[in-house]
Amino acid sequence: MTRDALEALDRLAGGLGTAVLALFLAMAWSVTLVSCLTGVGLLALPGMIGLTRSVAERERARLGRRGEPVISPYGEPAEGNWAEQMKAAWHDPSVRRDLAWVAIHATMGLVLGMAGLALPIMGLRDVTFPLWWRLLPAGEVGSSLGVRAETWPAVLAVGLSGLLWLGLALVLGPRLAVLQNLPGRRLLSPHSSVDLSARVARLTATRAAALRAHAAELRRIERSLHDGAQNRLVAVVVTVAAARRALSRDPEAADPALERAQTAAEQALAELRGVVRGILPPVLEDKGLSGALSALAAGSAVPCGLSVGELGPLPLSVEATAYFTVAEALTNVARHSGATRVDVEVILYGEALRITVEDDGRGGAGEDTGGGSGLAGIRRRVESHDGVLTLSSPEGGPTRLEVVLPPAS
């Protein structure tokens, strides 16, 4: 519950920031609309629409960092003279939805953000009040609500009230954050009438990439079986046949042949196990995603801190993608980053699964062009589930990899 409250506090603070921007934007719209009565504000309308879109995009990015991505509904910017731009804006439902969001977020979002931040601040202030109340000037001693407290019983009551505020912050914080984000998720997502051809094209491309990755994976498995395990098994058959012939002619020579056959069989079994692990790690079936990730963290070459939230039942394909994402990320950290520590966090954020891998290495990471491994391979796996991968790796570090897999996966 404490983790949820802290994350909610982070979301409320971010929402408060965009709410302040929305408030200034609403004030600017008011001035512009009033000035339109004189004709002066008409020339500013295209710029105001662009500014509104910029603030709305900022909110979409904020919502996408902490949950399922909010798709931008905007198409190509309207061209032509002022009249043509205004006509396009008049028929664009995203303009009206952006303005409705500005009005709601500048009021309700601002109030919810301030309330969500005020609760823990008031709680900490009143809980610690008995430690410093004597330092206040006479006549200014009181609780967060301004109730005077100048005797020890009253001061202790203020301290107990601080526990109440903290309790309310734990319980109400996540709910306030969800309520604050609701208008943005409802109004800033594409309207049903918006042409989603670009979205369909992107999905088509990711599905095609997924099919290519699947074909490449089948070829890898075939090569592993043909060049590895199959050759080992052929060697076993040949060696056993030679041992059988030696038993009738020279029994003492049969023992080394049988030993070679046993060694080849053990190697074939080990290669088969490696192929199976590459398809779907057995540890996922045995221990679930949490246990599988714990095994990865324990075997990491770089000291790894792991935090796994309450995940509940997930589709097997999502669990496999999450497992291979963390496994490949830890391998990249060990090989290229020079890090001394890496932290992995896997949580459900709303209904989406969010995976974060952050190390303290040298940074400068980029996607390779190899076939199916490294960051490019991770991106292909993620996009095949319609997920989003975000990489931040400035020179000097740290490197932060974040993957969000939507519930539709």
Side-chain angles (χ1 to χ4, degrees):
M1 178 177 286
T2 304
R3 174 184 289 273
D4 292 340
L6 291 175
E7 290 186 353
L9 189 63
D10 180 48
R11 283 187 287 167
L12 287 166
L16 181 60
T18 55
V20 171
L21 291 177
L23 178 62
F24 283 111
L25 186 61
M27 295 169 61
W29 268 110
S30 300
V31 173
T32 301
L33 293 177
V34 170
S35 62
C36 283
L37 298 176
T38 63
V40 177
L42 295 175
L43 298 177
L45 288 178
M48 288 301 301
I49 292 174
L51 185 60
T52 302
R53 288 188 173 187
S54 177
V55 175
E57 287 285 48
R58 189 182 184 91
E59 177 70 358
R60 290 187 186 94
R62 183 186 75 86
L63 294 174
R65 284 194 297 270
R66 297 294 186 178
E68 185 177 354
V70 179
I71 303 167
S72 177
Y74 309 131
E76 293 296 326
E79 297 180 355
N81 55 32
W82 180 92
E84 291 172 340
Q85 293 181 33
M86 289 299 97
K87 182 179 179 181
W90 179 263
H91 292 288
D92 188 353
S94 65
V95 174
R96 296 188 293 273
R97 291 164 69 86
D98 286 353
L99 292 176
W101 170 79
V102 168
I104 296 173
H105 198 55
T107 53
M108 186 181 79
L110 185 69
V111 172
L112 291 174
M114 294 176 65
L117 294 178
L119 287 174
I121 292 174
M122 292 168 61
L124 291 175
R125 189 260 186 201
D126 286 354
V127 162
T128 60
F129 184 69
L131 302 177
W132 47 267
W133 69 281
R134 289 187 178 277
L135 301 178
L136 295 175
E140 296 184 11
V141 182
S143 69
S144 296
L145 297 179
V147 178
R148 293 178 65 83
E150 297 181 343
T151 62
W152 270 110
V155 169
L156 293 177
V158 171
L160 292 176
S161 70
L163 296 177
L164 175 62
W165 295 127
L166 291 177
L168 287 175
L170 287 174
V171 175
L172 297 181
R175 292 170 174 80
L176 292 177
V178 171
L179 190 59
Q180 186 191 55
N181 292 345
L182 186 60
R185 293 201 170 275
R186 292 285 179 84
L187 294 173
L188 298 183
S189 58
H191 189 264
S192 57
S193 63
V194 174
D195 181 12
L196 294 181
S197 57
R199 170 71 167 160
V200 173
R202 178 181 179 275
L203 289 176
T204 302
T206 57
R207 293 300 182 268
L211 290 174
R212 289 194 298 270
H214 178 66
E217 185 70 7
L218 289 178
R219 287 195 296 272
R220 183 192 66 81
I221 294 171
E222 190 274 334
R223 286 196 302 270
S224 297
L225 292 174
H226 183 273
D227 299 338
Q230 179 175 290
N231 288 341
R232 303 284 186 191
L233 291 174
V234 170
V236 171
V237 173
V238 172
T239 307
V240 169
R244 288 185 61 187
R245 290 193 299 270
L247 280 174
S248 58
R249 299 193 306 270
D250 186 6
E252 293 183 359
D255 186 65
L258 290 174
E259 184 176 352
R260 289 196 301 273
Q262 179 180 353
T263 301
E266 291 173 350
Q267 292 173 343
L269 182 60
E271 293 203 7
L272 285 174
R273 286 173 175 167
V275 173
V276 170
R277 281 195 296 269
I279 300 172
L280 182 65
V283 69
L284 277 178
E285 290 283 350
D286 298 338
K287 298 182 179 180
L289 180 58
S290 179
L293 294 177
S294 297
L296 283 177
S300 173
V302 178
C304 179
L306 176 66
S307 174
V308 181
E310 188 65 34
L311 301 181
L314 293 171
L316 185 57
S317 61
V318 174
E319 290 188 340
T321 298
Y323 176 87
F324 284 117
T325 295
V326 174
E328 191 64 51
L330 291 179
T331 300
N332 289 344
V333 170
R335 288 179 178 175
H336 309 298
S337 71
T340 60
R341 180 171 177 81
V342 59
D343 291 296
V344 178
E345 181 185 57
V346 181
I347 61 171
L348 277 180
Y349 202 85
E351 294 184 349
L353 183 69
R354 191 181 73 197
I355 306 159
T356 305
V357 181
E358 185 170 359
D359 67 71
D360 61 355
R362 65 177 67 95
E367 295 194 31
D368 59 24
T369 56
S373 62
L375 292 172
I378 294 175
R379 183 177 292 278
R380 280 192 291 270
R381 284 184 180 273
V382 170
E383 289 183 346
S384 68
H385 287 78
D386 202 20
V388 176
L389 182 148
T390 305
L391 176 68
S392 172
S393 184
E395 292 293 338
T399 296
R400 177 183 175 88
L401 175 73
E402 184 174 292
V403 168
V404 177
L405 297 173
S409 299

